[in-house]
Amino acid sequence: MLVVKDLTKSFSSASGNVTALDKVNLTVQTGEFASIIGKSGSGKSTLLSMLGALDIPTSGSIEVDGVDIAKLSAAKQTAYRAKKIGFVFQHYNLIPNLTALENVMLALEFGGMPSKKRKARATQLLTDVGLEADEQLRKPPRLSGGQQQRVSIARALANHPAIILADEPTGNLDSETGKKIFDLLHRLSRSEKTTILAVTHDMDIAGKTDRTFKLKDGKITV
Amino acid sequence: MNVVSRGIKNALRSPLRSGAIVLMLAVSIGLILSMLVARSGIDAQIKKDQAGTGITIRPAGIMDFSGGGTPLTSTQLATITKTDHIASTSATLSDQLGTTDTNLTSAIDFGSFGLRQQRFDSSSSTATSTSMTTPNTSPADSSTTRSARTPHITVSGTTDPNSISTDGSKLNITKGATIDGNSSDLIALVGSDLATKNSLSVGSTFTAYGSTITVKGIYNTGNKAQDSGIIMPLTTVQSLTSQTGSITSVNATVDSSSNVNSVVSALKTSLGSTADITSQAEQAATSVASLKSIASLALAGVIGATIAGAVIVLLAMIMVVRERRREIGVIKAIGGSSRKVIGQFVAEALTLTVIGSIIGLALGVAISGPMTTSLVSSSTSSSVTSTNGRPFGGPGGMFQGGFNQVNKNLTAVQSTLTPTIFVSAVGITLLIAIVGAAVPAWFISKIRPAEVLRTE
Ligand SMILES: Nc1ncnc2c1ncn2[C@@H]1O[C@H](COP(=O)(O)OP(=O)(O)OP(=O)(O)O)[C@@H](O)[C@H]1O
Ligand SMILES: [Mg+2]
């Protein structure tokens, strides 16, 4: 279970303080598929980066299965990112000079899997997301956007994370491919009982999720 | 795949840039190695030069055939020989043969330098050629014969023909055999140039001072002035020139280099103002000084090349880190620790440095020899040629030898690559890699994982 209490994040920039998140409260059950919508600049990405321990909140708490991740040491946060969280990005963010297979194996390495077992597990994951054997050995620049996003989903799922955080995972794809990717995420959350929080601009997609949170100026409105 | 193999893989990611970096590194590492080699060679030579045990004693005021003064006497020679710590001595009486003294023709042309020196000859040459010849002193004669005159031929009467050789080593006899310096026979060793000019060979005879002298051997020193001279036993020259007991220079060898200074001061006391005393170590000081400046130049080269190498790696790694900011953010976001990312970049920097140093060390081994030589010769050639530029002059034993000594010392610098040098070069290379990777590592640790969510 994910419980966020009074989460506030402000950035100090040249033009003064920006409050990206303002006392956000939300709860997501384990295995739930939730979507986050909101205008550009409303704080969606900021919320995900707090949940994924990519940045430190200004105040408030984030409890994942009873542990406040904002209070963890740097090393524990790194381990949390490696084992409990899976990230899917709008721009895929695969390592360009590693093959699809090596990209997934990299996440397995950070998750602490012994090196001998990594290859089999990575191949399995890539097959599950629908990548052909020869595509698995290609480097990202030689894969289509949809294929790259599949690889990044495989990478996110690698260490059986408790939560998958997806920031506009379909934002760079045509609507048909986007639907397929979304279905894939949906299917996996069911079979693996993974909690998913996905940011999207597509109301169609948002409508299919278990719950939708709407952000406006750093506040939850629904 | 692990941190190290990813680092190596990344090093080869952009071959053109990596190639350029490796090349620049190779050049600076090659420079470091060859400068280290040059430095140690020079240091070794400095030690050797300072260990010279030779001392030259000559009459006060006489320098080859210029100046004036009274030759040393056999009594003074005995005093020198008896001085503590002097292991051996050899004595030389130098003289010159004018055209009327001999049937030989000099092997040297005056050239413009010689002609210029000749303008003093009518008055000054008689002072040094002591008992010699009158024709030159007549003003009328000198005015008519000036332009037709040829250079004098140098005669060295010595107790030890080897002392004539330029660097204290054995005289190089190319034909025949050496002569006994303690003999009083009418025998001579003839320099190769003079022999060629006058078609002399072993067994030939020539006339000098009105006597017939037999050639026993031909010598070659590689020095034109020396190779145009004649060497005879000391006693022979003393009697031929009616200068019994006279000596124009004494070469003494001290038993150990640490006693040279005390022997010099003892001789200064016993001989007083009648003699000028110079030690080999003193003469070597010129070459030692220039060697020292080359050594410090080489050290500056090592430091400069090290800094250059470190800066190359540093800038390259900073560039790479900036370029891969987002990728570093991704690695951190999916659970890679800063330590792992830094490890990966250090491996990358090390890969470039190792490839660069393999090429650089090979390059260094290849160029260290020529580099040492050119360092030594280019920075000393000006001073050496100016001192060596006298077209002729007597083989005044050690003094002439002194100038050649400078030359010899400089070219004798040996460039040898010892394991110690190699290890220090490798150590410096590692230092370069560490410095070159440390600053980027700091940058890496500062990159926030949240960076990855920013849309560019
Ligand atoms: N590192 C930062 N420094 C300063 N301000 C920031 C930083 N990150 C985010 N912000 C500000 O916080 C606010 C929320 O940004 P955020 O990226 O979360 O918006 P978003 O909802 O993801 O927008 P989009 O739909 O365009 O991605 C914005 O006003 C943004 O300018
Ligand atoms: Mg965003």
Side-chain angles (χ1 to χ4, degrees):
Chain A
M1 199 167 72
L2 172 68
V3 182
V4 175
K5 281 183 194 149
D6 290 335
L7 184 64
T8 301
K9 177 67 179 178
S10 46
F11 296 102
S12 45
S13 60
S15 52
N17 261 26
V18 179
T19 304
L21 292 176
D22 192 1
K23 294 200 161 111
V24 169
N25 285 286
L26 59 85
T27 303
V28 181
Q29 297 302 323
T30 302
E32 227 177 347
F33 190 164
S35 56
I36 301 167
I37 57 169
K39 283 205 208 96
S40 180
S42 57
K44 304 182 297 290
S45 295
T46 307
L47 177 59
L48 284 197
S49 72
M50 295 300 129
L51 299 181
L54 299 185
D55 214 342
I56 298 148
T58 308
S59 67
S61 70
I62 303 160
E63 279 185 18
V64 177
D65 298 335
V67 179
D68 187 353
I69 59 161
K71 293 199 168 65
L72 294 177
S73 66
K76 288 238 172 79
Q77 284 193 353
T78 302
Y80 169 80
R81 290 198 292 264
K83 291 177 178 157
K84 291 270 181 169
I85 299 290
F87 262 107
V88 179
F89 309 99
Q90 180 179 352
H91 298 282
Y92 328 126
N93 283 338
L94 299 172
I95 309 296
N97 75 324
L98 298 182
T99 64
L101 195 68
E102 287 167 343
N103 266 281
V104 178
M105 284 164 71
L106 184 64
L108 290 168
E109 177 189 329
F110 296 152
M113 181 178 272
S115 53
K116 274 179 251 159
K117 294 185 184 168
R118 287 177 207 156
K119 194 169 181 181
R121 166 89 175 135
T123 309
Q124 182 60 50
L125 282 161
L126 286 169
T127 313
D128 287 352
V129 298
L131 229 70
E132 304 289 335
D134 74 303
E135 290 161 354
Q136 295 180 10
L137 298 176
R138 283 193 218 155
K139 288 178 182 172
R142 298 190 51 225
L143 292 169
S144 72
Q147 287 165 341
Q148 287 189 57
Q149 199 60 302
R150 284 167 195 274
V151 175
S152 100
I153 289 169
R155 179 177 69 181
L157 290 166
N159 296 307
H160 304 285
I163 305 169
I164 286 187
L165 301 170
D167 195 0
E168 298 183 45
T170 61
N172 265 22
L173 303 170
D174 60 86
S175 61
E176 200 177 322
T177 315
K179 284 227 163 53
K180 277 187 188 154
I181 292 291
F182 226 88
D183 288 343
L184 179 66
L185 276 174
H186 203 194
R187 187 156 48 78
L188 292 167
S189 72
R190 285 288 159 272
S191 63
E192 297 251 343
K193 279 212 143 236
T194 311
T195 307
I196 300 184
L197 256 85
V199 170
T200 183
H201 284 292
D202 190 327
M203 296 313 284
D204 256 13
I205 288 171
K208 284 186 197 161
T209 57
D210 304 333
R211 289 178 68 183
T212 302
F213 298 101
K214 188 163 191 231
L215 268 178
K216 194 177 180 225
D217 298 332
K219 289 191 176 82
I220 301 272
T221 57
V222 179
Chain B
M1 277 311 252
N2 56 22
V3 171
V4 175
S5 57
R6 274 199 300 280
I8 294 171
K9 206 166 171 174
N10 278 341
L12 311 169
R13 201 152 144 179
S14 111
L16 200 69
R17 182 173 64 195
S18 300
I21 293 164
V22 162
L23 201 73
M24 286 190 280
L25 259 180
V27 169
S28 54
I29 289 164
L31 270 175
I32 290 171
L33 185 67
S34 51
M35 291 290 181
L36 283 175
V37 169
R39 212 177 115 72
S40 84
I42 290 164
D43 279 348
Q45 188 60 39
I46 289 174
K47 278 217 189 76
K48 214 155 109 199
D49 288 358
Q50 285 172 335
T53 54
I55 293 180
T56 302
I57 304 107
R58 53 185 61 256
I62 296 184
M63 186 186 268
D64 289 339
F65 297 104
S66 55
T70 315
L72 296 170
T73 62
S74 42
T75 325
Q76 284 172 311
L77 175 59
T79 310
I80 294 165
T81 312
K82 271 185 274 162
T83 305
D84 280 349
H85 300 300
I86 284 188
S88 68
T89 54
S90 66
T92 302
L93 172 63
S94 297
D95 195 34
Q96 289 183 303
L97 287 168
T99 39
T100 53
D101 302 319
T102 179
N103 63 345
L104 295 176
T105 314
S106 173
I108 299 172
D109 293 329
F110 269 130
S112 57
F113 178 88
L115 283 172
R116 183 170 167 74
Q117 302 313 311
Q118 282 312 103
R119 71 196 194 282
F120 305 117
D121 228 31
S122 56
S123 53
S124 72
S125 73
T126 45
T128 50
S129 309
T130 40
S131 73
M132 292 286 70
T133 63
T134 45
N136 283 358
T137 53
S138 145
D141 186 84
S142 84
S143 62
T144 51
T145 59
R146 176 168 293 187
S147 57
R149 210 183 275 134
T150 58
H152 302 305
I153 295 165
T154 305
V155 176
S156 307
T158 180
T159 55
D160 177 13
N162 286 332
S163 69
I164 306 301
S165 96
T166 48
D167 56 0
S169 62
K170 273 188 103 174
L171 187 67
N172 175 26
I173 308 285
T174 52
K175 284 197 194 90
T178 190
I179 51 168
D180 178 6
N182 299 316
S183 148
S184 52
D185 298 342
L186 294 170
I187 52 175
L189 293 172
V190 180
S192 54
D193 286 357
L194 186 65
T196 310
K197 182 89 178 180
N198 294 283
S199 316
L200 293 174
S201 56
V202 178
S204 310
T205 56
F206 62 90
T207 317
Y209 308 111
S211 301
T212 301
I213 294 154
T214 310
V215 177
K216 290 289 179 188
I218 313 281
Y219 65 87
N220 187 314
T221 60
N223 176 307
K224 185 141 176 75
Q226 305 252 42
D227 292 344
S228 306
I230 298 170
I231 301 172
M232 287 196 253
L234 176 65
T235 322
T236 309
V237 176
Q238 284 175 336
S239 63
L240 283 174
T241 61
S242 322
Q243 298 183 92
T244 311
S246 293
I247 292 157
T248 51
S249 93
V250 175
N251 291 341
T253 310
V254 181
D255 55 7
S256 124
S257 61
S258 53
N259 291 329
V260 169
N261 285 342
S262 65
V263 169
V264 168
S265 51
L267 286 174
K268 277 188 174 145
T269 318
S270 58
L271 299 175
S273 60
T274 58
D276 289 333
I277 301 160
T278 45
S279 67
Q280 209 173 45
E282 224 168 72
Q283 293 193 339
T286 332
S287 67
V288 165
S290 59
L291 282 174
K292 275 189 174 150
S293 72
I294 302 166
S296 54
L297 196 75
L299 182 65
V302 170
I303 295 168
T306 306
I307 292 172
V311 167
I312 290 165
V313 177
L314 183 71
L315 291 180
M317 291 320 290
I318 288 176
M319 198 161 81
V320 164
V321 168
R322 287 179 66 110
E323 216 169 77
R324 301 204 203 127
R325 252 189 113 74
R326 195 182 182 84
E327 192 178 313
I328 292 166
V330 173
I331 293 176
K332 286 187 173 185
I334 64 171
S337 59
S338 282
R339 218 156 38 90
K340 279 206 166 181
V341 188
I342 290 169
Q344 183 183 314
F345 277 82
V346 168
E348 183 169 347
L350 266 177
T351 306
L352 294 177
T353 316
V354 165
I355 299 175
S357 47
I358 290 169
I359 300 173
L361 292 176
L363 202 74
V365 171
I367 64 169
S368 57
M371 174 80 92
T372 307
T373 316
S374 75
L375 252 184
V376 169
S377 59
S378 70
S379 55
T380 53
S381 58
S382 53
S383 67
V384 171
T385 48
S386 65
T387 51
N388 236 6
R390 26 161 83 240
F392 69 97
M398 201 61 133
F399 193 81
Q400 174 73 39
F403 288 127
N404 288 302
Q405 190 72 36
V406 173
N407 207 356
K408 275 263 159 59
N409 285 350
L410 293 175
T411 48
V413 172
Q414 289 291 314
S415 58
T416 40
L417 180 60
T418 65
T420 324
I421 296 174
F422 203 80
V423 166
S424 21
V426 170
I428 290 174
T429 307
L430 280 177
L431 186 81
I432 289 175
I434 290 166
V435 171
V439 176
W442 184 78
F443 277 121
I444 289 168
S445 68
K446 290 280 160 244
I447 292 177
R448 298 177 318 130
E451 204 87 38
V452 74
L453 287 170
R454 311 247 36 99
T455 36
E456 57 264 8

